[in-house]
């Protein structure tokens, strides 16, 4: 009998010993860990440590209710049911109890002290725009601009597209080289549905970031805690994201697939085309926890852009109301472009102890690009009949010019960039030390075959030359027929770089005032070798510093001052001149940069608001001057230019509508350059005034019906001149850029609106919306097409208009 009792009881005892583990990190809405959260379950309890971490066990095959509570946050209740010996990774975000503790909320202002703007990921998911995503949000910030809604590139405080650093999980990412228009560009590297944190600095950033002159965008992809699927569908394409924790919750995996078709926008332009640009992107982030000290990560990306463009006809009217002119163009030929990129990075994070962490990373980026086109254009320029009484009113009354041009290109580029880096972080009480070293090798192979022939009344126009009168067909020309413009080059360049940085940070107190200090220095040594050419080596040092103070005043204010001597060593594009040839002796561009800022947090209508103001000045030397055509940047490949930039950025953000954060941005900028002592002229990015508005609203009696409005106004920049022209002779500005995008969506299901029955019970989130791009159908232009009138010998600048009003339907689902 005793043996039988043992046989019956022993399995029960074994079963009773089996448990599951629940662990995670509890953070607030600003992603900072919360210490001292009380966790109660089954008449037991524990609390989170200083890092917000916790861990406890629960019995299997039983539903356990767990309560997370803190005096400063709303209580969270979660149920767990374990069906086996496994580990639950649960890292919730607690919401501050504003009403109960509004007088004693303690804010972590470390990011603000560093001059970093932290962007809410919800803004990125909800923003409306032709290229919605992180960059679309940036365009609404002061100091950030781009007059091309189809592009995800941006200028910051007078810099160009190539002066911005972009990091994903601490790894620098790159863009294709040969992109010359926004409609070729396709998808941004950054997948908005995979993001956890977004940090942005418009200048005065720390030494831990790389060697660029303008800005830093620092993205962190999330490590999922549970299974989830998100699907977005629209007339512009779609995306799918799947995430989960695998291998006993040691492996977190997230995979995103995106597809985009820009036909909707291209069909809204004035040029009739046979065109379907398609862009595809696959991206993944994997993180495996080997043990509590070691984590191994992988970030991978594959993208393919196919751009097959066959223009047919174009009709554009320009000029004035009293003297309108019409341009009619008939095209023949096509353009076939292909941009394929591969990116992979492995990293390992090792925590030696609570104070010392080491990260090692190896990565590789490869882009293979083809740009092939043969396009012939026959054009007619005519005066439009303006007499309302005429039967030909509105038609072309007289043809002023007839001509043609043929553009040809066979351009290929293959770039391979590999690097390895080691970084360490040491915390010593209130002090923090960061250091790193990186080796990078770049191999670029480039073949350029580009020419343009211009024909007026059957006569080939000679290329521009000093001292030669261009008056064909009246003066016969018996020399060889040459293209009006031609570039022929074959380049192979190898660049080796070794860079390092060291910085020190400290938060302390001065009397009753909070003070943040940061000092650091970067260095880089590089050598550039052109095959069958010369090798040149250079070394730069870049010291930087930041100081911020939060006075112990009744008013919530923070003041900061940052600056340094920033340097930007040349990348391949900066080494290649207008003629396509390589100059390996191009030096790093340098900028003495000073930024003074203030954050003022206050209550308005009993709701939180913050006014951010920054004043900046840049003194640039050894500048590599450039021209901009659409989004194509072409450099002089020398250092004979000086420049400066100064401006003021102001942003007011807060709850203009209760519970919805919106903002208004205003920026003023002036930037000029002096090329080879010819005199000061406006730089291509001299955008004097910028206004951006990002606004969210909802219907009070129907709060699930939400509206999002994105408005941008930029004054015109110098540009639109012919590629061969002297910039000192063409300083006219393009028209102001004005655009408003509106989105309206209805929420059928989300975290605040759950369903237990019916069709909607299968969704964590379900939104259906309409998006109206370019609400007021403003005709913005970013470049000019230059055509000749053989009779008057004039050249006409015909604006190339951007996209018109477009309606889009969008469906968002989360499971």
């Amino acid at each position: 009998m005793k043996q039988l009792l043992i046989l019956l009881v022993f399995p029960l005892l074994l079963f009773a010993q089996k448990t599951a583990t629940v662990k995670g990190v509890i953070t607030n809405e600003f992603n900072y860990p919360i210490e001292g959260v009380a966790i109660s379950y089954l008449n037991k309890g524990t609390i989170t440590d200083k890092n917000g971490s916790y861990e406890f066990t629960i019995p299997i095959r039983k539903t356990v209710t767990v309560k997370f509570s803190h005096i400063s946050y709303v209580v969270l209740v979660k149920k767990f049911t374990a069906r086996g010996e496994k580990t639950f990774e649960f890292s919730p975000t607690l919401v501050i109890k504003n009403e109960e503790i509004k007088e004693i909320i303690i804010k972590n202002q470390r990011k603000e002290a560093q001059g970093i703007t932290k962007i809410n990921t919800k803004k990125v998911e909800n923003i409306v725009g032709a290229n919605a995503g992180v960059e679309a949000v940036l365009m609404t910030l002061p100091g950030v601009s781009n007059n091309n809604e189809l592009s995800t590139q941006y200028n910051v405080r007078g810099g160009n597209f190539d002066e911005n650093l972009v990091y994903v999980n601490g790894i620098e990412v790159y863009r294709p080289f040969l992109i010359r228009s926004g409609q070729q560009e396709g998808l941004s590297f950054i997948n908005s549905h995979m993001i956890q944190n977004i940090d942005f600095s418009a200048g005065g950033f720390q030494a831990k970031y790389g060697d660029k002159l303008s800005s830093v965008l620092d993205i962190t992809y999330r490590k999922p805690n549970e299974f989830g699927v998100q699907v977005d569908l629209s007339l512009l394409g779609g995306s799918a994201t799947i995430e989960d924790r695998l291998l006993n919750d040691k492996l977190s995996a997230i995979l995103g697939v995106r597809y985009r078709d820009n036909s909707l926008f291209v069909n809204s332009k004035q040029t009739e085309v046979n065109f379907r640009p398609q862009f595809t992107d696959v991206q993944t982030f994997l993180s495996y926890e080997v043990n509590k000290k070691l984590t191994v990560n992988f970030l991978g990306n594959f993208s393919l852009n196919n751009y097959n463009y066959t223009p047919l006809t174009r009709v554009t009217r320009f000029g004035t109301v009293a003297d309108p002119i019409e341009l009619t163009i008939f095209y023949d030929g096509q353009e076939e472009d292909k941009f394929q990129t591969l990116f992979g990075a492995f990293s390992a994070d090792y925590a030696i102890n609570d104070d010392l962490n080491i990260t090692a990373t190896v990565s590789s980026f490869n882009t293979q690009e083809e740009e092939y086109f043969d396009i012939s254009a026959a054009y007619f320029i005519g005066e439009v009949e303006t007499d309302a009484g005429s039967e030909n009113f509105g038609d072309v009354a007289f043809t002023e010019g007839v001509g043609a041009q043929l553009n040809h290109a066979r351009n290929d580029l293959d770039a391979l960039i590999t690097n390895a880096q080691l970084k360490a972080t040491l915390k010593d009480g209130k002090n923090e030390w960061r250091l790193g070293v990186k080796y990078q090798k770049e191999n670029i192979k480039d073949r350029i075959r580009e020419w343009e022939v211009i024909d007026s009344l059957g006569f080939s126009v000679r290329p521009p030359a000093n001292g030669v009168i261009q008056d064909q067909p009246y003066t016969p020309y018996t020399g060889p027929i040459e293209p009006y413009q031609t570039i022929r080059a074959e380049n192979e360049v190898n660049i080796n770089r070794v860079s390092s940085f060291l910085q020190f940070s400290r938060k302390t107190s001065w009397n009753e005032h909070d003070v943040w200090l940061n000092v650091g220095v970067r260095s880089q040594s590089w050598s550039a070798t052109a095959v069958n050419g010369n090798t040149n080596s250079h070394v730069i040092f870049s010291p930087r510093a930041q100081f911020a103070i939060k006075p112990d005043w009744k008013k919530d204010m923070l003041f900061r001052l940052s600056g340094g001597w920033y340097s930007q060593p040349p990348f391949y594009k900066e080494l290649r001149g207008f003629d396509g040839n390589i100059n390996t002796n191009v030096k790093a561009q340098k900028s003495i940069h000073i930024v003074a800022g203030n954050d003022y947090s206050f209550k308005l209508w009993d709701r939180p608001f913050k006014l951010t103001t920054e004043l900046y000045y840049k003194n640039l030397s050894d500048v590599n001057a450039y021209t901009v055509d659409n989004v194509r940047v072409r450099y002089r490949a020398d250092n004979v230019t000086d420049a400066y930039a100064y401006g003021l950025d102001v942003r007011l953000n807060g709850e203009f509508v209760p519970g919805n954060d919106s903002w208004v941005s205003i920026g003023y900028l002036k930037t000029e350059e002096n090329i080879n002592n010819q005199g000061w002229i406006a730089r291509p990015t001299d955008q004097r005034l910028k206004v951006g508005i990002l606004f969210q609203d909802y219907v009070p009696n129907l709060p699930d019906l939400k509206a999002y409005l994105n408005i941008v106004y930029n004054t015109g920049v110098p540009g639109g001149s012919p590629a061969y022209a002297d910039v000192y002779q063409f300083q006219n500005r393009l028209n102001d850029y004005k655009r408003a995008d509106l989105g309206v969506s209805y929420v059928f299901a989300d975290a605040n609106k759950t369903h237990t029955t019916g069709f909607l019970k299968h969704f964590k989130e379900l939104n259906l919306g309409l998006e109206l791009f370019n609400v007021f159908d403003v005709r913005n232009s970013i470049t000019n097409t230059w055509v000749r009138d053989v009779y008057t010998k004039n050249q006409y600048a015909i604006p190339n208009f951007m996209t018109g009003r477009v309606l889009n339907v969008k469906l968002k689902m989360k499971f």
Side-chain angles (χ1 to χ4, degrees):
M1 185 65 180
K2 183 183 294 186
Q3 290 82 354
L4 179 60
L5 185 60
I6 292 174
L7 289 174
L8 291 173
V9 173
F10 186 68
L12 296 175
L13 293 175
L14 280 178
F15 183 78
Q17 292 173 356
K18 293 184 178 180
T19 60
T21 300
V22 181
K23 65 177 184 177
V25 177
I26 300 179
T27 58
N28 60 20
E29 295 168 290
F30 304 102
N31 205 41
Y32 297 125
I34 307 173
E35 181 180 3
V37 177
I39 305 170
S40 57
Y41 60 99
L42 297 176
N43 297 322
K44 301 178 183 179
T46 184
I47 61 173
T48 56
D49 60 18
K50 65 179 182 179
N51 297 315
S53 300
Y54 72 91
E55 182 174 333
F56 61 88
T57 60
I58 59 174
I60 66 172
R61 301 186 183 278
K62 182 177 181 181
T63 299
V64 178
T65 300
V66 182
K67 184 170 73 171
F68 301 84
S69 59
H70 190 283
I71 189 173
S72 302
Y73 297 87
V74 177
V75 173
L76 175 67
V77 177
K78 175 73 174 178
K79 292 183 179 181
F80 297 92
T81 303
R83 294 179 173 82
E85 295 179 274
K86 62 177 292 187
T87 299
F88 291 97
E89 186 77 24
F90 182 63
S91 298
T93 298
L94 299 188
V95 178
I96 294 175
K97 295 191 292 188
N98 288 304
E99 291 79 8
E100 289 83 349
I101 59 164
K102 58 185 179 181
E103 299 299 330
I104 59 170
I105 293 177
I106 299 174
K107 297 188 295 185
N108 188 327
Q109 295 183 299
R110 180 173 57 92
K111 296 290 187 182
E112 289 88 341
Q114 296 174 6
I116 288 176
T117 300
K118 190 172 181 64
I119 299 172
N120 192 322
T121 56
K122 289 294 183 183
K123 289 283 189 300
V124 175
E125 291 194 12
N126 295 330
I127 191 170
V128 180
N131 237 322
V134 176
E135 294 86 354
V137 177
L138 296 183
M139 302 299 180
T140 66
L141 299 178
V144 184
S145 62
N146 183 0
N147 292 1
N148 188 336
E149 62 268 12
L150 293 180
S151 173
T152 59
Q153 302 189 64
Y154 49 91
N155 308 308
V156 179
R157 293 178 176 174
N160 69 25
F161 302 140
D162 299 326
E163 296 179 9
N164 305 308
L165 287 162
V166 180
Y167 291 95
V168 175
N169 288 6
I171 303 163
E172 186 175 358
V173 296
Y174 305 91
R175 298 177 181 269
F177 291 73
L178 296 181
I179 296 291
R180 68 172 68 203
S181 70
Q183 60 192 29
Q184 290 177 323
E185 196 171 309
L187 296 160
S188 163
F189 181 95
I190 302 165
N191 189 325
S192 302
H193 302 310
M194 299 171 64
I195 295 175
Q196 178 180 351
N197 291 321
I198 308 170
D199 292 336
F200 178 73
S201 173
F205 43 85
Q206 296 180 356
K208 66 179 180 180
Y209 296 115
D211 296 304
K212 296 282 188 180
L213 296 181
S214 291
S215 73
V216 173
L217 177 60
D218 192 0
I219 302 291
T220 303
Y221 280 174
R222 68 177 177 272
K223 298 179 181 179
N225 297 317
E226 58 185 3
F227 176 78
V229 175
Q230 177 172 339
V231 178
D232 284 22
L233 300 173
S234 79
L235 299 180
L236 294 170
S239 67
T241 307
I242 183 170
E243 57 188 87
D244 200 3
R245 295 191 71 89
L246 308 166
L247 305 179
N248 293 324
D249 288 338
K250 286 184 172 292
L251 175 66
S252 66
I254 185 168
L255 173 70
V257 180
R258 295 179 292 173
Y259 169 80
R260 183 176 174 89
D261 185 335
N262 268 349
S263 301
L264 195 65
F265 287 115
V266 175
N267 291 335
S268 72
K269 291 190 171 187
Q270 292 185 329
T271 302
E272 183 182 350
V273 296
N274 183 4
F275 178 37
R276 190 163 187 178
Q278 298 175 322
F279 313 105
T280 307
D281 169 273
V282 180
Q283 201 163 149
T284 186
F285 175 55
L286 308 175
S287 181
Y288 182 75
E289 184 181 333
V290 179
N291 52 51
K292 290 187 177 181
K293 290 182 175 291
L294 178 63
T295 302
V296 180
N297 311 294
F298 171 74
L299 176 65
N301 173 264
F302 167 78
S303 69
L304 178 63
N305 295 0
N306 285 318
Y307 181 86
N308 299 318
Y309 178 70
T310 306
L312 302 175
T313 62
R314 169 182 173 179
V315 178
T316 301
R317 285 194 177 179
F318 60 101
T320 64
V321 175
D323 186 22
I325 300 175
E326 182 174 287
L327 170 72
T328 302
I329 304 178
F330 297 94
Y331 293 98
D332 188 21
Q334 65 178 344
E335 177 175 355
E336 294 185 356
D337 302 335
K338 183 178 180 180
F339 305 92
Q340 177 179 298
T341 62
L342 288 166
F343 174 82
F346 288 93
S347 65
D349 300 318
Y350 185 71
I352 296 177
N353 52 47
D354 291 341
D355 298 321
L356 179 59
N357 186 78
I358 296 176
T359 301
T361 305
V362 293
S363 69
S364 181
F365 170 83
N366 175 243
T367 178
Q368 300 177 31
E369 306 174 23
E370 298 176 355
E371 185 183 41
Y372 298 167
F373 58 79
D374 288 285
I375 297 178
S376 173
Y379 60 85
F380 305 85
I381 304 174
E383 295 181 359
V384 178
E385 179 61 65
T386 59
D387 184 0
S390 171
E391 62 180 10
N392 297 321
F393 175 70
D395 296 333
V396 175
F398 173 71
T399 299
E400 293 184 351
V402 179
Q405 62 187 53
L406 173 63
N407 293 88
H408 165 92
R410 294 292 185 272
N411 299 330
D412 298 275
L413 184 140
D414 189 336
L416 178 63
I417 302 171
T418 57
N419 60 60
Q421 64 177 334
L422 184 67
K423 296 189 290 186
T425 302
L426 174 63
K427 296 180 179 179
D428 180 16
K430 295 183 178 180
N431 303 329
E432 181 184 85
W433 294 87
R434 289 178 182 262
L435 60 91
V437 61
K438 177 180 178 180
Y439 169 75
Q440 179 163 301
K441 180 176 178 60
E442 304 160 14
N443 174 259
I444 298 95
K445 299 175 182 177
D446 187 16
R447 176 183 179 272
I448 311 169
R449 296 289 187 272
E450 232 178 276
W451 49 258
E452 177 185 30
V453 173
I454 297 179
D455 180 292
S456 286
L457 291 181
F459 293 86
S460 178
V461 180
R462 290 179 293 170
N466 293 330
V468 177
I469 300 175
Q470 302 278 18
D471 60 350
Q472 297 97 347
Y474 302 106
T475 300
Y477 179 65
T478 56
I481 297 177
E482 300 178 59
Y484 194 70
Q485 298 180 75
T486 181
I487 302 175
R488 294 178 63 89
E490 290 192 21
N491 303 314
E492 182 175 355
V493 178
N494 292 295
I495 305 175
N496 292 281
R497 307 180 192 269
V498 178
S499 60
S500 61
F501 75 89
L502 173 65
Q503 74 173 40
F504 168 79
S505 302
R506 177 180 174 86
K507 181 188 176 184
T508 185
S509 298
W510 176 40
N511 294 329
E512 299 298 325
H513 312 307
D514 292 332
V515 174
W516 291 263
L517 298 170
N518 175 272
V519 292
V521 63
R522 290 190 64 85
S523 66
Q524 184 175 142
S525 172
W526 78 96
S527 63
T529 303
V531 175
N532 302 322
N534 298 325
T535 299
N536 287 279
S537 300
H538 307 266
V539 178
I540 58 101
F541 292 92
S542 176
R544 308 172 188 182
Q546 294 179 334
F547 172 81
I549 182 170
K550 186 181 187 306
D552 184 26
W553 295 347
K554 184 177 180 180
K555 292 186 176 180
D556 186 356
M557 286 193 173
L558 183 143
F559 299 88
R560 59 180 172 270
L561 181 67
S562 61
W565 190 16
Y566 292 80
S567 298
Q568 179 170 322
F571 206 48
Y572 173 75
K573 286 173 65 176
E574 287 106 306
L575 299 178
R576 194 177 81 178
F578 292 156
D579 59 359
N581 294 318
I582 297 298
N583 177 13
T584 58
N585 199 37
V586 175
K587 297 181 290 186
Q589 302 181 81
K590 301 176 182 66
S591 171
I592 297 175
H593 194 172
I594 299 174
V595 182
N598 169 255
D599 289 344
Y600 174 38
S601 300
F602 58 96
K603 290 289 182 105
L604 183 63
W605 309 309
D606 201 30
R607 296 194 291 270
F609 282 80
K610 184 167 76 171
L611 179 66
T612 301
T613 307
E614 287 194 332
L615 183 68
Y616 58 90
Y617 174 77
K618 303 179 185 180
N619 185 355
L620 298 105
S621 58
D622 292 330
V623 173
N624 191 347
Y626 58 89
T627 61
V628 180
D629 181 11
N630 203 306
V631 298
R632 185 190 195 189
V633 180
R634 301 202 310 167
Y635 292 89
R636 288 174 53 97
D638 58 32
N639 299 101
V640 299
T641 303
D642 295 320
Y644 70 84
Y646 64 81
L648 175 68
D649 288 342
V650 180
R651 183 169 75 111
L652 175 65
N653 71 289
E655 295 185 12
F656 293 92
V657 175
N660 290 271
D661 190 36
S662 304
W663 62 67
V664 178
S665 303
I666 300 176
Y668 172 81
L669 162 71
K670 182 176 182 179
T671 179
E672 291 186 324
E673 62 188 4
N674 183 357
I675 303 175
N676 205 18
N677 293 318
Q678 297 180 72
W680 293 95
I681 58 172
R683 303 192 79 193
T685 54
D686 183 33
Q687 194 143 48
R688 292 298 172 85
L689 183 63
K690 154 69 180 283
V691 178
I693 299 175
L694 184 62
F695 189 76
Q696 300 182 70
D697 200 356
Y698 60 89
V699 179
N701 295 327
L702 192 61
D704 293 323
L705 184 60
K706 303 180 182 295
Y708 305 91
L709 180 63
N710 177 18
I711 299 176
V712 173
Y713 169 77
N714 299 326
T715 55
V717 294
S721 62
Y724 49 83
D726 181 357
V727 293
Y728 279 83
Q729 303 300 320
F730 285 87
Q731 276 294 293
N732 293 335
R733 291 179 179 262
L734 296 169
N735 292 330
D736 295 351
Y737 181 86
K738 304 175 285 288
R739 186 177 178 89
D741 298 319
L742 173 66
V744 178
S745 66
Y746 184 80
V747 179
F748 293 93
D750 64 6
N752 299 317
K753 189 179 180 181
T754 59
H755 301 267
T756 58
T757 60
F759 171 72
L760 294 175
K761 70 178 182 180
H762 302 289
F763 296 92
K764 291 181 180 178
E765 187 173 328
L766 178 62
N767 294 348
L768 178 63
L770 294 175
E771 297 177 327
L772 186 60
F773 305 123
N774 197 357
V775 174
F776 304 109
D777 200 23
V778 178
R779 299 199 308 170
N780 294 305
S781 63
I782 191 172
T783 58
N784 291 322
T785 296
W786 291 85
V787 297
R788 295 166 57 90
D789 176 2
V790 70
Y791 298 105
T792 64
K793 302 182 180 64
N794 290 329
Q795 284 188 312
Y796 288 97
I798 315 299
N800 296 318
F801 293 114
M802 301 299 295
T803 60
R805 184 189 293 120
V806 173
L807 180 65
N808 183 39
V809 180
K810 187 174 182 179
L811 177 66
K812 178 180 179 180
M813 299 172 285
K814 283 187 179 181
F815 304 93

